[in-house]
Amino acid sequence: MSRTIMEHAGGNVVLFSFDAGQVLSEHTAAMPVFVQAGSGHLKVTASGKTVDLVPGGLAYFPTRLPHAVEAVEASVMMLTMITPARDAKETSD
């Protein structure tokens, strides 16, 4: 389950909740992203390396780097997507 908690020029933030054993299969993002564990225990894999993320743990993925997430236990993850800032005229429309 996911829920967008912030949409803003320059970045979006989405919270994900996982049941134990749930997997977000390998995928890429069209922008740089930060993944942070809010609770639980996540295994994050990219470039052939797996990192354990526990609460407060943070990982960064550049644009189009394939990565996957597995919940070792029930977990909450915050995804921060870095998007190009729009100029003032575009944001006021």
Side-chain angles (χ1 to χ4, degrees):
M1 177 166 50
S2 66
R3 179 172 58 120
T4 300
I5 60 171
M6 187 192 85
E7 290 184 75
H8 195 274
N12 299 324
V13 178
V14 180
L15 286 181
F16 287 82
S17 61
F18 295 93
D19 290 330
Q22 193 171 5
V23 174
L24 185 56
S25 59
E26 188 174 77
H27 61 285
T28 62
M31 73 279 300
V33 299
F34 289 93
V35 172
Q36 185 170 20
S39 66
H41 179 184
L42 301 166
K43 287 193 176 284
V44 180
T45 303
S47 298
K49 296 180 184 177
T50 299
V51 175
D52 286 291
L53 289 184
V54 294
L58 184 66
Y60 169 78
F61 301 108
T63 304
R64 305 220 187 286
L65 178 71
H67 58 280
V69 178
E70 177 186 356
V72 176
E73 59 188 57
S75 303
V76 173
M77 176 186 88
M78 182 171 69
L79 173 70
T80 302
M81 297 173 277
I82 309 302
T83 59
R86 297 175 290 189
D87 66 30
K89 181 178 179 185
E90 288 181 48
T91 59
S92 64
D93 291 343

